[in-house]
Amino acid sequence: MNPAPAFSFNTVPNIVSAPGAARELGIHVSARFPDVRRVLIVTDPGFLSTGLVDAPAASLRDAGFHVKQFSGVLADPPEHVVEDALEAARQHETGLVVGLGGGSSMDVAKLVAVLAASPQSLAEIYGIGNVRGSRLPLVQVPTTAGTGSEVTNIAIVTTGATTKMGIVATQLFADLAILDAELTLGLPPAVTAATGIDAMVHAIEAYTSRHKKNPMSDGLARQALALLSRNLIRACENGSDLEARQAMLLGAMLAGQAFSNAPVAAVHALAYPIGGIFHIPHGLSNSLVLPYVLRFNAATCAQQYAELAGIVVPHIEGSMEARAEALSVAMQQFATITGLPRTLSQVGIHATDLDLLADDAMKQTRLLANNPRPLSREDAFDIYRSAL
Ligand SMILES: NC(=O)c1ccc[n+]([C@@H]2O[C@H](COP(=O)([O-])OP(=O)(O)OC[C@H]3O[C@@H](n4cnc5c(N)ncnc54)[C@H](O)[C@@H]3O)[C@@H](O)[C@H]2O)c1
Ligand SMILES: [Fe+2]
């Protein structure tokens, strides 16, 4: 392998990782944006109901900001949510957007920051590099340890009834990300498990990304996988373990940095139709197809999987192929131990649905292009059938 391949790497310029940091949101924001007066917080009704929005919002008000909350984000946000949030931003004459929630809220916050001051419409910016001009200042505060959206240049929207589409643009990198595990203490075990596995998938797929694999993403992916695999069960078994929660947030963020520069591939391509059509949470959708995509890809990248197995299962021995297989087994065990469904049948997907899923997965050309092994429609169908 070329030890110094050509590559470029981008990430968010300011990152604060400290329990309690969200209670000082106003101080962090005013230090960096002294001229901003009006702030829109973008969140969802589930997170709002925890009451955890109050302290960061109060801290912004204490720092002199006029704060409005938009709490209408739906999971896997459909286009109308982005439009509603945009309307709220314009009415408030927003000067800065704060995404406070999981990937869904942070993705909507990104799009609001980009579109609020732009003549472009949402429809015009789907795809890679289609955003023109600048955006409003943007601060991201994750409340799940999963998507890494706080440091990625990607936003995912559900278009029509079922299809998930991505917007990828440099402007979607936030100005500041704040990682505060106090916000994640109340996450139910099933959400902790699914979002944590999503983050691990980001690390694994970044490490084997076909065209943009690079040494910085590799290092971040390895560190992310170490943090996530050592803390996921701890965080699921004892939700109030602040240390494990902060480690999960850090791991998810590092994985986000990795995959925004070495993009994810077939696991996500096959997971999106499961989320889009059957409304299965994103992390769980990934987890359901993961072992089978890893086995399919192992024909091409057993060496990389064996390297990652050494992180997830530290005392693993045996041939390269055996160690690669150990990674699939270990990832499946995370689902088993944390009590997540392990088969498509368990989430209500049947053999008669597989054609629809396979057809839809093939539309994810942006992601499939990153897969280490070319994947046909027949391969996608076989993988779904294995996952039944
Ligand atoms: N932009 C990216 O880089 C990127 C990467 C991966 C996934 N995504 C997208 O992110 C979305 C998924 O995000 P997610 O997995 O974080 O879930 P989510 O944002 O959809 O939230 C899931 C649920 O968890 C609840 N929740 C969130 N934080 C909570 C907390 N601290 N306590 C209690 N409940 C809480 C929410 O109310 C919601 O009901 C999908 O739309 C996916 O496509 C984006
Ligand atoms: Fe993901």
Side-chain angles (χ1 to χ4, degrees), residues 7 9 22 35 41 47 64 104 108 134 169 176 206 227 230 236 257 263 279 291 316 338 349 368 371 381:
F7 73 99
F9 188 93
D35 300 330
I41 295 178
F47 184 68
S104 299
V108 172
S134 57
L176 167 67
L227 283 162
R230 276 166 218 157
C236 287
Q257 290 182 313
H279 303 290
I316 188 73
T338 57
I349 298 174
L368 291 172
N371 203 51
F381 187 90

Side-chain angles (χ1 to χ4, degrees), residues 38 43 55-56 60 102 151 179 219 231 234 263 269 303 305 381-382:
R38 304 178 74 82
T43 189
L60 285 167
V151 290
L179 311 182
N231 288 282
R234 230 174 108 180
Q303 172 63 39
Y305 288 162
F381 187 90
D382 288 346

Side-chain angles (χ1 to χ4, degrees), residues 44 46-47 76 102-104 107 143-144 147 149 152 154 164 183 195:
D44 74 81
F47 184 68
D76 304 301
S104 299
D107 284 1
T143 67
T144 61
T147 69
S149 177
T152 73
I154 304 161
K164 295 191 91 173
L183 300 174
T195 49

Side-chain angles (χ1 to χ4, degrees), residues 35 40 67 69 71-72 85 92 101 121 136 153 157 194 210 218 232 245 259 318 330 335 344 370 377-378 385:
D35 300 330
L40 182 77
V67 181
Q69 284 170 208
S71 58
H92 185 54
S121 68
L136 294 180
N153 55 345
V157 175
R210 183 163 188 180
D218 284 353
L232 178 71
R245 291 290 198 182
F259 90 85
L344 295 177
N370 304 318
R377 187 200 177 277
E378 205 183 341
R385 195 170 44 198

Side-chain angles (χ1 to χ4, degrees), residues 44-48 50 52 73-77 101-107 110 142-158 164 182-188 191 194-195 198 202 259 268 272 281-283 286:
D44 74 81
F47 184 68
L48 185 71
T50 64
L52 290 166
V73 174
L74 303 174
D76 304 301
S104 299
S105 295
M106 291 191 286
D107 284 1
K110 288 177 184 180
T143 67
T144 61
T147 69
S149 177
E150 66 276 12
V151 290
T152 73
N153 55 345
I154 304 161
I156 310 286
V157 175
T158 306
K164 295 191 91 173
E182 286 182 2
L183 300 174
T184 68
L185 293 178
L187 265 183
V191 184
T195 49
D198 180 32
H202 296 157
F259 90 85
H268 275 73
Y272 278 152
H282 174 71
N286 275 305

Side-chain angles (χ1 to χ4, degrees), residues 12-15 32-33 135-140 173-177:
V12 166
N14 294 296
I15 295 163
R32 289 175 177 84
F33 301 99
R135 56 152 171 76
L136 294 180
L138 175 64
V139 176
Q140 298 282 32
F173 281 120
D175 296 298
L176 167 67

Side-chain angles (χ1 to χ4, degrees), residues 40 70 72 78-90 108 112:
L40 182 77
F70 173 84
E79 289 180 308
H80 72 82
V81 164
V82 178
E83 300 297 348
D84 293 350
L86 202 50
E87 180 58 30
R90 287 184 176 139
V108 172
V112 168

